[in-house]
Amino acid sequence: MKILVCISKTPDTTAKVTFTVNNTKFAEEGVQWIINPYDEWYALVRAIELKESGIVSAIHLITLGNADCDPIIRKALALGGDEAIRINADSQDSFYIAAQIAAVAKEGNYDLVLTGKETIDYSGSAIGGMLAALLEWPFISHATHLTLENSQATLVKEIEGGEQTDQVQLPIVVSCQKGMAEQRIPNMKGIMGARTKTLTVREPVAADSFTSFVQFDLPAAKAGVKLVSADHPEELVRLLHEEAKVI
Amino acid sequence: MSVLIFLDQADGHIRKSSFEAACYGSQLAAQLGVPAETLVIGTVSDDLASLGQYGINTVHTITENSLNQADGQVFTQVIAELVRTINASVVVLSNNMLGKAIAPGLSVLLKAGLVSGAIDLPTTSNGFVVKKNVFGGKAFAHVGITTPLKIITLNPNSFPITKLEAKATVKPFVAIIPPSKVKVVSTKKVEGEVSLSEAEIVISGGRGLKGPENWGLVTDLAKVLGAATACSRPVADINWRPHHEHVGQTGLAIAPNLYVAIGISGAIQHLAGVNRSKTIVVINKDPEAPFFKSADYGIVGDAFEIMPKITEAVKKLKNK
Ligand SMILES: Cc1cc2nc3c(=O)[nH]c(=O)nc-3n(C[C@H](O)[C@H](O)[C@H](O)COP(=O)(O)OP(=O)(O)OC[C@H]3O[C@@H](n4cnc5c(N)ncnc54)[C@H](O)[C@@H]3O)c2cc1C
């Protein structure tokens, strides 16, 4: 059984967010990049666990971006991917990205494609669902558990106000979130091994883009905190009622 | 041409986040000079004609019992069929669990650009540009949709619900229901709680509360305010509280009117999930806690002494 895991690079949460080119581009200079936590902690680590349990024979990773992505994809290989594919394109459009991944997934004979539930930079939550529609495979979104038995997957997913257990035949696309697996740290052996694992660079297939980022801006700074004395907590309640009008 | 709003229901009632989507969609329809239509799937006991008060002209219904349990992909195909039938130009959904499961597939089926997590009406004077939060609430992006048909998912708690006097026309829609590829084995409700993503007030506790036995400090206040409860990541990780209460970069992102953080330091990863809250209150004994920098109101002091007094004061206010 073969798994394809989608890996995206995102700025570290602590990164300073600024923009260039008349506020049309995220300023990447000096930014620390990480693997999108949902892709890493949940999708990739669950794939590794399934391989360790003997059910899965190979984990392939896919990312889209220029050569700047290579350190991130090597880190993912160090955690446990077997080989990686980088689509040599730069895009922020979910449909374009999903179309690229779908082209690879189609010819690669995968049984399972895993994504994170969203990226922490643009929070699109779109790649998994689009990919499933393009492949005409079932899509399980916001999954917290995944087990495989022969060609059947059992999944638990979050629904509004609760959770749902589903059974579905492979191949499927799953978007993963907290609960799927626990965070791991790559070890020295993994890091050394990752250097020699195959990283294939492929040119993109022709695909449309449906959206474009027109401009970015920053929220207005907060006015500053209004402190209330610990001796008069009831004053806070009065302020919330009369001034902020939220209770 | 029209704006079609998909309304999500639970136990036969339209969700609050769907009323927000209805108001958003009908105001967008007015802006574009087209009617606002909605789709309700499954058996709903609410009076659907009364959706007119949110500016809706027509309510399409598919009262199939088998669709009370949602399979996103079946919904996607049914919505796509209605979009084609009524020739809708914009589809609006709530950016909740179901909306996130449906909208991307719909984008592919209809070749329609999707912006997820909108926080304001689009500007339509020059193109079609939708505003959303990016970088964990640290910035806004204005995203243009370049396809003729457009899909928007609206973040919960981002658009006010307003009402007017009007009735909507309710019409059954006869759809071809495709078979579901997913077998639902069971569903489990998180009992008796206010939905965290839809809640207007959220009371949240961190490691400063020392242990699960002290959570009355959080839940007592939540109860008198009709609020949802949340927690920081370590609190969920050490099982003081259930995982679904975890907010932040790796948990749920919320935007209530009021967020009260008790014994939470305010790490940037925590803020990423709550900084869109309209009013933030921080109770922390450490005056240097980073959370105070992002707060609107705060008390420096011991939560164990302060919280019971706050709860008492709120009770008094409510009894007035
Ligand atoms: C990649 C990554 C992702 C993460 N994602 C998240 C996330 O999604 N959500 C999240 O919350 N965290 C997340 N974290 C963890 C985050 O960095 C913090 O460690 C965490 O939020 C701290 O939780 P806390 O504030 O409850 O605990 P602490 O940092 O231990 O803070 C406890 C606070 O309680 C105060 N306190 C103690 N006693 C009292 C008292 N009696 N009365 C009042 N105040 C008191 C203290 O002054 C202190 O400020 C993430 C971290 C990483 C690295």
Side-chain angles (χ1 to χ4, degrees):
Chain A
M1 200 175 288
K2 270 170 75 183
I3 303 190
L4 183 65
V5 182
C6 304
I7 299 288
S8 179
K9 90 177 202 301
T10 56
D12 186 81
T13 336
T14 53
K16 193 162 166 52
V17 173
T18 54
F19 301 96
T20 58
V21 202
N22 278 330
N23 287 328
T24 58
K25 258 187 94 67
F26 173 62
E28 300 196 348
E29 211 174 327
V31 167
Q32 170 94 32
W33 298 94
I34 57 170
I35 307 174
N36 180 43
Y38 294 106
D39 304 349
E40 175 185 343
W41 302 2
Y42 308 126
L44 177 56
V45 176
R46 185 65 192 135
I48 295 167
E49 290 173 353
L50 289 168
K51 194 179 167 202
E52 285 167 350
S53 70
I55 302 167
V56 166
S57 55
I59 302 168
H60 291 184
L61 312 177
I62 184 162
T63 194
L64 183 136
N66 54 29
D68 290 351
C69 295
D70 289 352
I72 289 300
I73 202 89
R74 288 276 174 217
K75 188 184 168 207
L77 286 170
L79 277 163
D82 294 301
E83 55 180 89
I85 301 154
R86 174 165 65 80
I87 309 290
N88 192 28
D90 200 10
S91 175
Q92 243 94 54
D93 180 67
S94 304
F95 181 79
Y96 181 88
I97 297 168
Q100 302 306 324
I101 300 170
V104 171
K106 240 178 222 162
E107 62 169 66
N109 269 320
Y110 296 98
D111 302 282
L112 185 61
V113 180
L114 301 182
T115 72
K117 72 160 184 175
E118 65 184 54
T119 57
I120 61 165
D121 48 8
Y122 298 111
S123 299
S125 286
I127 302 296
M130 287 186 174
L131 197 53
L134 287 165
L135 295 167
E136 299 182 4
W137 292 2
F139 173 51
I140 306 293
S141 70
H142 296 89
T144 55
H145 293 275
L146 159 67
T147 51
L148 299 174
E149 212 183 320
N150 301 320
S151 65
Q152 180 171 278
T154 304
L155 298 110
V156 181
K157 70 178 179 199
E158 186 179 345
I159 55 173
E160 214 58 40
E163 57 180 42
Q164 179 173 315
T165 304
D166 289 341
Q167 268 174 359
V168 60
Q169 292 296 314
L170 302 178
I172 56 171
V173 178
V174 180
S175 82
C176 306
Q177 66 171 13
K178 189 175 172 144
M180 265 285 178
E182 292 295 330
Q183 183 184 9
R184 287 191 185 187
I185 293 161
N187 57 29
M188 210 49 194
K189 186 165 161 262
I191 294 167
M192 299 304 283
R195 294 189 188 158
T196 52
K197 286 181 180 168
T198 310
L199 168 58
T200 314
V201 179
R202 293 177 41 158
E203 291 309 310
V205 296
D208 290 332
S209 287
F210 291 171
T211 58
S212 69
F213 282 82
V214 178
Q215 202 173 13
F216 294 94
D217 50 49
L218 299 170
K222 283 244 176 196
V225 60
K226 200 177 238 184
L227 287 178
V228 174
S229 156
D231 299 330
H232 298 286
E234 68 285 353
E235 171 63 5
L236 174 70
V237 175
R238 187 191 69 79
L239 286 169
L240 292 177
H241 180 59
E242 290 174 12
E243 190 177 85
K245 297 190 169 60
V246 285
I247 61 173
Chain B
M1 301 286 252
S2 63
V3 173
L4 175 66
I5 304 120
F6 171 70
L7 301 184
D8 186 6
Q9 57 125 334
D11 304 325
H13 301 291
I14 308 284
R15 289 185 174 284
K16 175 185 157 235
S17 55
S18 284
F19 291 131
E20 294 166 359
C23 292
Y24 180 93
S26 68
Q27 287 182 34
L28 174 58
Q31 187 178 323
L32 298 171
V34 299
E37 310 191 32
T38 65
L39 172 63
V40 178
I41 298 179
T43 30
V44 174
S45 51
D46 297 348
D47 168 26
L48 293 177
S50 73
L51 288 170
Q53 59 187 325
Y54 304 106
I56 302 302
N57 303 100
T58 312
V59 182
H60 301 273
T61 59
I62 306 175
T63 43
E64 263 281 327
N65 283 332
S66 70
L67 294 182
N68 284 338
Q69 231 160 18
D71 171 13
Q73 281 177 312
V74 171
F75 280 23
T76 303
Q77 294 189 41
V78 170
I79 297 169
E81 189 187 336
L82 179 62
V83 168
R84 292 188 188 111
T85 307
I86 63 171
N87 190 22
S89 53
V90 185
V91 184
V92 176
L93 307 94
S94 174
N95 193 36
N96 60 13
M97 292 298 156
L98 186 58
K100 288 178 192 177
I102 294 174
L106 204 55
S107 167
V108 170
L109 290 190
L110 296 170
K111 300 212 174 312
L114 162 68
V115 175
S116 49
I119 54 168
D120 205 347
L121 285 170
T123 55
T124 50
S125 50
N126 183 11
F128 191 100
V129 180
V130 187
K131 184 176 180 183
K132 68 172 287 183
N133 287 106
V134 287
F135 298 102
K138 281 195 263 182
F140 302 114
H142 302 266
V143 188
I145 305 183
T146 48
T147 49
L149 186 61
K150 288 138 181 109
I151 304 174
I152 301 171
T153 65
L154 174 71
N155 260 356
N157 281 334
S158 297
F159 201 78
I161 295 175
T162 48
K163 293 188 186 179
L164 42 105
E165 292 267 325
K167 288 253 175 252
T169 313
V170 181
K171 267 193 204 172
F173 176 61
V174 185
I176 303 159
I177 315 242
S180 174
K181 295 179 191 164
V182 177
K183 185 176 148 218
V184 178
V185 179
S186 63
T187 54
K188 198 168 91 187
K189 282 241 169 305
V190 181
E191 278 305 334
E193 292 182 39
V194 182
S195 151
L196 184 50
S197 60
E198 292 187 348
E200 282 169 24
I201 303 179
V202 174
I203 315 295
S204 188
R207 206 150 49 180
L209 294 184
K210 310 281 189 288
E213 66 280 7
N214 301 323
W215 237 258
L217 298 172
V218 172
T219 53
D220 288 352
L221 178 60
K223 207 170 284 162
V224 285
L225 286 170
T229 50
C231 68
S232 67
R233 181 166 84 122
V235 163
D237 282 353
I238 45 185
N239 288 317
W240 290 0
R241 297 297 294 172
H243 279 297
H244 61 80
E245 284 197 0
H246 160 195
V247 291
Q249 181 200 296
T250 45
L252 199 66
I254 54 171
N257 285 335
L258 173 61
Y259 182 74
V260 181
I262 310 160
I264 303 177
S265 57
I268 192 140
Q269 295 90 355
H270 184 84
L271 294 177
V274 303
N275 59 11
R276 293 188 290 116
S277 310
K278 273 144 225 124
T279 300
I280 294 180
V281 173
V282 170
I283 316 277
N284 197 304
K285 70 172 183 191
D286 174 9
E288 302 296 322
F291 221 145
F292 284 116
K293 289 202 185 69
S294 309
D296 300 286
Y297 299 95
I299 299 182
V300 178
D302 185 352
F304 289 80
E305 286 170 18
I306 294 166
M307 289 317 297
K309 291 183 190 157
I310 290 182
T311 305
E312 265 322 297
V314 173
K315 270 187 195 155
K316 245 189 228 157
L317 178 78
K318 294 270 169 188
N319 288 335
K320 250 190 211 159

